[in-house]
Amino acid sequence: MDANAMAGEEMIAVPPGRVTLSDRRTQRSWQVDVAAFRLGMHPVTQGAYARVTGEWPSIAHGERRPVEGVSWLDAVLYCNSRSRQEGLTPAYRHVDSESVAWDASADGYRLPTEAEWEHACRAGTTGARYGPLGEIAWHRANSGERIHEVGGRRPNAWGLHDMLGNVWEWCWDVYDAEVYKSYRVLRGGGWFDEPWSCRASVRRRSHPTFRIDDVGFRVARSAPPM
């Protein structure tokens, strides 16, 4: 059986491209070239997380609900554990709160970069969202103020579900080292957020050890060399 099927996590091939990132706080924008990579069709589910780690950290339990209440470090450890279980090279070394190193040559699972995340979320679109918000995302106005199973909303053009709403997603990047030290980037908006927060460009931050009930993650893998 395919390893992705065993884990309940299908990966989608994301084409290369260029994305413009922006930060509302600093009024800064910058362009990033993104190489081809693979990204989870939806956030890692509680069932998939438990099969790798043996743990159910989420407050609102459900096999097909996104795992939440996981820190950035928890997500990194999951990536390495899943890689080892599937015979892949772990992407991360020196996993502690001060110094995690990413081996870009590794074929294992990892968190997407912020640029990869936004490029994948937009799926070739240029607006605030890749479709009508009520059709693509669970947010405060339609979620009943609770988390929902993955895949319940319409995917984007590349087949990715829940890129906006349901849970915020950890990215690899440090948010702003000069101001926020080791805080990491969160993207996508969550089930308790007002509609304005669920946009492709919105950035949030949190400490890599914090666990919050509207924050999860999805995994990426680098594309094999041609």
Side-chain angles (χ1 to χ4, degrees), residues 1 4 7 10 22 25 29 100 118 128 136 148-150 153 207 215 223:
M1 181 181 293
N4 287 328
E10 184 175 345
S22 60
R25 181 182 63 85
S29 63
V100 176
E118 185 165 333
I136 65 174
H148 287 258
E149 290 189 358
V150 298
R153 303 279 86 182
H207 192 275
V215 172

Side-chain angles (χ1 to χ4, degrees), residues 153-220:
R153 303 279 86 182
R154 180 162 64 84
N156 69 12
W158 293 344
L160 296 160
H161 289 267
D162 300 303
M163 291 298 294
L164 297 178
N166 220 5
V167 288
W168 289 87
E169 298 180 16
W170 289 110
C171 293
W172 162 256
D173 307 66
V174 172
Y175 183 86
D176 183 340
E178 290 186 6
V179 178
Y180 296 101
K181 306 302 181 186
S182 62
Y183 275 48
R184 299 284 173 161
V185 170
L186 292 163
R187 288 302 204 107
W191 56 267
F192 196 66
D193 283 273
E194 299 293 346
W196 71 266
S197 286
C198 299
R199 304 197 315 274
S201 62
V202 167
R203 309 173 78 219
R204 179 176 153 188
R205 61 191 177 273
S206 190
H207 192 275
T209 63
F210 286 178
R211 299 182 175 101
I212 311 169
D213 67 357
D214 66 349
V215 172
F217 67 100
R218 75 178 71 208
V219 293

Side-chain angles (χ1 to χ4, degrees), residues 18-98:
R18 175 175 292 182
V19 65
T20 300
L21 305 182
S22 60
D23 183 77
R24 189 175 63 167
R25 181 182 63 85
T26 62
Q27 301 297 304
R28 187 170 65 95
S29 63
W30 61 102
Q31 287 191 326
V32 181
D33 290 320
V34 177
F37 70 105
R38 286 167 285 178
L39 187 65
M41 177 184 285
H42 49 69
V44 172
T45 62
Q46 295 177 29
Y49 190 84
R51 284 189 287 275
V52 170
T53 67
E55 299 175 353
W56 292 82
S58 303
I59 293 174
H61 283 191
E63 172 88 12
R64 294 286 296 170
R65 289 177 174 177
V67 67
E68 37 84 358
V70 285
S71 69
W72 182 87
L73 281 169
D74 292 331
V76 164
L77 289 167
Y78 169 89
C79 289
N80 274 3
S81 295
R82 183 171 166 187
S83 296
R84 292 189 187 97
Q85 288 179 18
E86 297 183 18
L88 304 172
T89 302
Y92 300 117
R93 301 191 304 269
H94 313 302
V95 180
D96 59 52
S97 60
E98 299 300 324

